[in-house]
Amino acid sequence: MRLSRRWAAWFLIAAIELPGLAHAQESGRLLATSGVAQIEGAAGGGLVPWALIAGYGTRDAIGAEAHYTFDALPSFTLHGAGAAVGLYNRVELSYTHQWFETGSTGAKLGLGSGYQFQLDVIGAKVRLFGDAVYDQDSWIPQVAAGIQYKTSSNGSVLHAIGARSADGEDFYLSATKLFLAQSVLVDATVRATKANQFGLLGFGGDRDQGYSAQFEGSAALLLRHDFAIGAEVRTKPDNLGFAHEGTAYDIFAAYFINKNLSATVAFTALGPIANQGNQNGVYVSLVGGF
């Protein structure tokens, strides 16, 4: 399966236009309870999807957001742009296109200077039970299940470096608990994946071609109603023999200007990528939503 750019464009248009169908309750949720845009397009932190649903729509309305992310690393640059729709605070649909620029490192890798890896991600998430905001008298978190289908247009290169496939699916289960009195949010996510470097370097490899269970976690402290700081961790499989892959971390600050705009800045440590050493960088994300 390959996603056409025309299909992706229609998805983005739909994500922006759908909120106009919702009535006045569409932004009824509290500020910051939509999270920010995770790198693969789901509502959550920068690295980790949360059980929260994108946008500020309540159970009676539709919410949506559009996002752009950028991660400047020593040897590479990662960009992502897309949108997500939240349906009645129950279902989330998302799309993101990522492009991973190798710059001068591309020549070192024998790919040519400026070579780009491209990845399309379609996501779906369903809130199973719990409500992060309203269940304050219970220890039960908000729990959601999700899937992310990822497809790359760099199949020949990915097979050459040992990846088994240019396409793959990630499955995850997230539990998110918000403690309003303490202004603290915690999340734990378990992901079943074959992805190499989030899917940018394909799926499966010569070392391991099957699914493995990976842990992802987030913790955030709301210093004000519109400003949060936090940290995340995300383990990753190590499938490719030619290049070791390690755990990713970030430390972030998110400013929710209003319900229509938020900005996140983070220090990211993504581990080694393609034998180019540890890739520590600066991550920036902008999200416009309803």
Side-chain angles (χ1 to χ4, degrees):
M1 175 181 177
R2 288 291 183 271
L3 300 176
S4 71
R5 294 294 180 265
R6 179 178 297 179
W7 188 96
W10 277 111
F11 188 98
L12 291 173
I13 292 170
I16 293 171
E17 293 296 331
L18 271 173
L21 302 177
H23 51 65
Q25 289 180 308
E26 67 179 0
S27 60
R29 287 160 53 190
L30 295 175
L31 186 67
T33 56
S34 66
V36 296
Q38 183 251 353
I39 59 172
E40 288 131 322
L47 290 175
V48 181
W50 297 347
L52 304 178
I53 300 298
Y56 285 98
T58 64
R59 65 181 182 179
D60 301 310
I62 295 172
E65 57 89 356
H67 60 265
Y68 169 74
T69 59
F70 170 82
D71 199 354
L73 304 167
S75 303
F76 309 97
T77 304
L78 175 63
H79 302 263
V85 178
L87 304 174
Y88 312 109
N89 199 23
R90 177 64 65 178
V91 175
E92 175 185 294
L93 303 174
S94 62
Y95 167 76
T96 289
H97 177 70
Q98 296 179 341
W99 59 105
F100 188 60
E101 298 179 348
T102 63
S104 60
T105 305
K108 298 178 184 178
L109 297 173
L111 300 173
S113 182
Y115 184 85
Q116 289 188 1
F117 290 90
Q118 308 278 337
L119 188 70
D120 290 294
V121 184
I122 295 176
K125 182 197 300 182
V126 178
R127 179 167 65 90
L128 301 178
F129 59 86
D131 191 296
V133 176
Y134 293 108
D135 288 343
Q136 292 301 301
D137 58 348
S138 170
W139 283 94
I140 297 176
Q142 182 166 320
V143 176
I147 180 174
Q148 293 173 336
Y149 173 76
K150 307 176 181 182
T151 179
S152 171
S153 58
N154 305 85
S156 58
V157 172
L158 298 179
H159 289 303
I161 64 176
R164 295 289 179 171
S165 175
D167 309 283
E169 301 86 21
D170 287 2
F171 304 90
Y172 65 87
L173 187 69
S174 294
T176 304
K177 183 63 181 174
L178 174 62
F179 300 93
L180 278 176
Q182 293 77 28
S183 300
V184 170
L185 179 144
V186 292
D187 175 89
T189 295
V190 177
R191 180 186 298 259
T193 182
K194 303 178 184 179
N196 309 318
Q197 298 296 352
F198 312 118
L200 290 162
L201 298 186
F203 301 83
D206 50 319
R207 295 184 60 185
D208 193 343
Q209 57 182 305
Y211 278 100
S212 62
Q214 303 295 323
F215 172 77
E216 305 172 14
S218 302
L221 174 64
L222 201 64
L223 298 178
R224 304 185 328 192
H225 76 284
D226 59 356
F227 185 75
I229 60 173
E232 299 182 294
V233 60
R234 177 169 173 171
T235 66
K236 297 180 289 176
D238 192 16
N239 299 326
L240 296 173
F242 96 99
H244 170 66
E245 186 169 352
T247 299
Y249 305 88
D250 73 29
I251 299 172
F252 67 86
Y255 178 33
F256 298 87
I257 300 166
N258 51 46
K259 289 185 179 180
N260 302 119
L261 184 63
S262 67
T264 303
V265 177
F267 166 77
T268 58
L270 302 186
I273 299 177
N275 284 329
Q276 299 306 302
N278 288 326
Q279 298 296 307
N280 302 332
V282 176
Y283 169 91
V284 177
S285 176
L286 296 175
V287 179
F290 303 87

